[in-house]
């Protein structure tokens, strides 16, 4: 409970990202914080005060001139009866008001009246984010000492446009809250971690390759979760379409051999988490030119050679990291195969999952895993990949501190 006893005033302004604030409330409360919500008029067009109030278990403040709200606490007390003000999503409009000291509604009045630290999680269309007035306002807000998380690169929920403007994920915002309110809660500070993620591509010729369905979502989430706990993380990623996580170093590779080289280059480390779906085979003597089909003759068979096993190499290395985590993607006999891999690959723990097509795990956003170690098997419920990552990172931290 990193945030036990901490009071967060959460200001929700208008934007489609407001739906993520519901999850943010849950995540903050899970960690022991109390959340008092303030919503702008525009925010109420996207999510209801009823939902916000129910999740926060608190009255929701919406109106500067409401007799009830003002008698209850008043905007000056609202602004000060907290340890931190979080604005998520922070719209371009609300930040423009803040930068100019306007106070014509409850959120802007509270922000002008507060003497507490303020954390902004901006969310807007990339063109609005890059617009000259927004750039100027952001500079002003930074100079005023406002803290900021995001926005991230990625696709916008409403338009599908790509660019910078997507609100940081709830768990990223929680991490920023923890680092502001409980800076001692970084149990992996000073530890180095290597994470592999994504598929590998093994070329057949300059235009064709062998690949698999891995999206990199789980591996990237684990790298980010370790970084949030303070670890110095090197993420070695195969070809993926998701963004590099914030707060760590990402090395991009294509083939298994390149991945191994990058992992070895990142040693020494305290932690290794090998999540990548490494192709088991590569094509021997990949063609330098595009292979042409010849009329009437069958295609030449592909000669395959086994790729290096990166996890096994790390698990038996002279500079073996203190804690080595492997994954096992199985479609049957999950536990038995997991146990075999634990042994064969020299891992401390195997995170085994069933990747049969009907589970939707490969490429999807959720995961259901079993943790297999010498101590036995632990089954986790169906969770978001972010939540699996957060739990695994806490587990690794506990193992390293002997807990
Ligand atoms: N792994 C690796 N290098 C390889 C193959 C696998 O580092 N060349 C790692 C994966 O990152 C994962 C673990 O080994 O952490 C298990 O991967 P998986 O594909 O489930 O197992 P394989 O060893 O390929 O065994 P099999 O194909 O028989 O299931």
């Amino acid at each position: 409970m990193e945030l036990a006893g901490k009071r967060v005033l959460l200001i929700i302004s208008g934007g489609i990202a407001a739906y993520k604030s519901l999850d943010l409330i849950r995540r903050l409360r899970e960690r022991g914080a109390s959340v008092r919500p303030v919503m702008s008029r525009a925010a109420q067009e996207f999510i209801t005060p009823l939902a916000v109030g129910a999740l926060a278990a608190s009255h929701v403040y919406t109106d500067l001139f409401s007799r009830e709200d003002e008698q209850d606490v008043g905007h000056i007390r609202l602004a000060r009866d907290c340890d931190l003000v979080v604005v998520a999503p922070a719209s371009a409009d609300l930040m423009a008001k803040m930068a100019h000291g306007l106070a014509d509604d409850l959120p802007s009045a509270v922000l002008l009246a507060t003497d507490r630290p303020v954390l902004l999680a901006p969310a807007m269309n990339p063109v609005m984010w890059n617009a000259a007035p927004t750039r100027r306002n952001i500079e002003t807000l930074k100079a005023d000492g406002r803290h900021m998380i995001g926005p991230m690169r990625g696709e916008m929920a409403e338009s599908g446009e790509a660019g910078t403007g997507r609100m940081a994920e709830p768990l990223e915002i929680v991490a920023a809250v923890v680092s502001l309110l409980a800076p001692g809660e970084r149990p992996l500070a000073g530890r180095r971690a290597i994470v592999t993620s994504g598929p590998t591509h093994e070329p057949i010729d300059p235009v064709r390759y062998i690949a698999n369905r891995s999206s990199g979502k789980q591996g990237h989430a684990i790298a980010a979760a370790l970084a949030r706990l303070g670890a110095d993380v090197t993420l070695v990623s195969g070809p993926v379409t998701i963004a590099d996580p914030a707060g760590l170093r990402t090395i991009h590779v294509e083939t298994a051999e390149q991945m191994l080289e990058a992992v070895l280059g990142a040693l020494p480390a305290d932690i290794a988490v090998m999540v990548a779906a490494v192709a088991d085979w590569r094509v021997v003597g990949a063609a330098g030119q595009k292979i042409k089909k010849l009329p009437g003759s069958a295609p030449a068979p592909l000669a395959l050679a086994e790729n290096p096993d990166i996890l096994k190499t790390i698990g038996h290395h002279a500079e073996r990291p203190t804690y080595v985590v492997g994954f096992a993607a199985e479609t049957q006999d999950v536990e038995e195969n997991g146990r075999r891999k634990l042994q064969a690959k020299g891992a401390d723990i195997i995170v085994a999952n069933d990747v049969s097509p009907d589970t939707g795990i490969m490429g999807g956003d959720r995961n259901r895993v079993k943790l297999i170690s010498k101590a036995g098997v632990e089954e986790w419920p169906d969770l978001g990949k972010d939540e699996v990552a957060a739990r695994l990172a806490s587990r690794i931290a506990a193992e390293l501190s002997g807990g």
Side-chain angles (χ1 to χ4, degrees), residues 35-38 49 52-53 56-62 66 68-69 72-73:
V35 178
R36 195 181 243 181
V38 171
V52 170
S58 159
H59 179 72
V60 180
Y61 298 83
T62 53
S66 143
E68 235 173 72
D69 282 8
D72 183 12
V73 277

Side-chain angles (χ1 to χ4, degrees), residues 5-299:
K6 301 292 183 190
R7 297 163 310 162
V8 173
L9 185 80
L10 173 65
I11 298 181
I12 305 174
S13 64
I16 188 73
Y19 78 91
K20 290 193 200 171
S21 311
L22 297 173
D23 192 34
L24 175 62
I25 294 171
R26 261 188 52 221
R27 307 281 186 185
L28 288 168
R29 294 194 62 214
E30 266 170 18
R31 285 157 181 80
S34 65
V35 178
R36 195 181 243 181
V38 171
M39 294 178 77
S40 73
R41 186 183 301 276
Q44 297 168 58
E45 300 286 339
F46 292 93
I47 53 174
T48 67
L50 191 66
V52 170
L55 284 169
S58 159
H59 179 72
V60 180
Y61 298 83
T62 53
D63 200 345
L64 183 55
F65 301 110
S66 143
R67 272 225 338 256
E68 235 173 72
D69 282 8
E70 281 293 301
Q71 267 167 13
D72 183 12
V73 277
H75 68 276
I76 302 292
R77 253 188 62 203
L78 211 47
R80 306 209 176 140
D81 271 3
C82 62
D83 300 301
L84 175 72
V85 180
V86 176
V87 190
S91 66
D93 180 67
L94 182 56
M95 290 194 295
K97 281 182 176 171
M98 283 177 79
H100 292 87
L102 297 180
D104 65 348
D105 61 1
L106 188 59
S108 56
V110 165
L111 284 161
L112 192 60
T114 193
D115 56 358
R116 303 290 146 160
V118 175
L119 173 67
L120 303 170
M124 66 196 72
N125 171 283
V127 179
M128 291 171 80
W129 174 251
N130 286 315
T134 308
R135 303 281 87 237
R136 286 196 297 273
N137 293 334
I138 295 295
E139 285 316 307
T140 304
L141 291 170
K142 283 186 177 162
D144 289 346
R146 304 317 191 188
H147 303 280
M148 220 159 285
I149 169 92
M152 307 301 178
R153 276 190 65 79
E155 263 184 28
M156 301 296 110
E158 70 275 53
S159 59
E161 262 176 271
T164 298
R166 187 171 62 78
M167 187 169 88
E169 292 304 318
L171 285 174
E172 291 171 312
I173 299 173
V174 167
V177 170
V178 170
S179 72
L180 286 169
L181 287 181
E185 295 290 337
R186 289 166 67 81
L188 291 177
R191 305 281 195 175
R192 286 168 53 92
I194 308 172
V195 180
T196 64
S197 183
T200 63
H201 285 183
E202 307 296 334
I204 297 169
D205 68 18
V207 297
R208 304 180 179 96
Y209 56 82
I210 299 175
N212 60 63
R213 296 184 194 283
S214 168
S215 66
K217 283 178 189 166
Q218 187 63 83
H220 279 52
I222 290 167
L226 291 168
R228 278 196 295 272
L229 295 188
D232 173 2
V233 180
T234 302
L235 170 64
V236 182
S237 172
V240 293
T241 56
I242 56 178
D244 293 354
L248 51 89
R249 188 177 324 100
T250 304
I251 300 175
H252 294 274
V253 299
E254 212 167 302
T255 65
E257 287 178 313
Q258 291 164 359
M259 188 171 271
L260 175 64
E261 195 184 313
V263 166
L264 293 176
L267 288 174
D270 305 282
I271 303 160
V273 189
M274 304 289 100
V275 196
V278 182
D280 289 314
W281 301 282
R282 66 176 178 279
V283 177
V284 181
Q289 303 294 332
K290 186 180 169 197
I291 301 170
K292 304 297 286 180
K293 47 180 192 301
L294 298 173
S297 69

